[in-house]
Amino acid sequence: MTPRKILVLSGPNLDRLGKREPHIYGTQTLQDIYAGLQALAHELGVELSCQHSNHEGVLIDWLNGAEEQGFSGVLINPGALTHYSWALHDSLKGCGLPAIEVHLSNPAAREEFRHHSCVGPAALGTVAGFGANSYALALRGLVLKLG
Ligand code: DQA
């Protein structure tokens, strides 16, 4: 049996992890986080494609093509797009795949503008507040859900 493929997307400014506000986001780079996630994926018997873009349209293009490319599910940390991108919401709703919203920090415990998520209502669930481990917990949750 071919392993399930999961698309992992990170949005604006997450390429700055490790340097960007480490007291909030920790000291691991996105490459570190993706390397740990690949090791977990191997353990769980799934295949990952881990991507990053600072551009909303690029993330949407990846989502819109994901089902056709044989992906079974999505993990997405949309960065600040979370709070205002209805285009990302629509893409997640329309992409035909279950998606988990991921955040390193807990936006609900931060500034007011972070309290609203456009993405949450289009996702299967949200994992937030566990630092780099949020990605790993979300992957475990998605794999359990996919069965
Ligand atoms: C974030 C939370 C967002 O509010 C913020 O804009 C980010 C990172 C997180 O992972 O905690 O860029 O998505």
Side-chain angles (χ1 to χ4, degrees), residues 11-14 17 20 24-25 77-83 102-107 110 113-114 129 135:
N13 300 310
L14 292 160
L17 287 179
R20 172 191 182 203
I24 296 174
Y25 298 115
N77 182 349
L81 291 171
T82 305
H83 313 301
V102 180
H103 300 286
L104 297 134
S105 68
N106 177 6
R110 298 181 61 196
F113 78 88
R114 296 184 204 274
Y135 280 86

Side-chain angles (χ1 to χ4, degrees), residues 46-129:
V46 295
E47 226 174 70
L48 301 184
S49 172
C50 295
Q51 309 292 344
H52 163 267
S53 177
N54 285 323
H55 305 281
E56 183 182 27
V58 172
L59 295 167
I60 289 171
D61 285 344
W62 280 331
L63 283 173
N64 291 355
E67 193 175 27
E68 250 171 51
Q69 284 172 24
F71 288 99
S72 302
V74 176
L75 302 188
I76 182 164
N77 182 349
L81 291 171
T82 305
H83 313 301
Y84 62 88
S85 178
W86 293 110
L88 208 50
H89 166 102
D90 285 353
S91 173
L92 277 167
K93 275 225 152 161
C95 77
L97 298 176
I100 312 267
E101 177 188 6
V102 180
H103 300 286
L104 297 134
S105 68
N106 177 6
R110 298 181 61 196
E111 303 97 315
E112 184 136 7
F113 78 88
R114 296 184 204 274
H115 294 181
H116 179 261
S117 171
C118 299
V119 168
L124 197 62
T126 299
V127 179

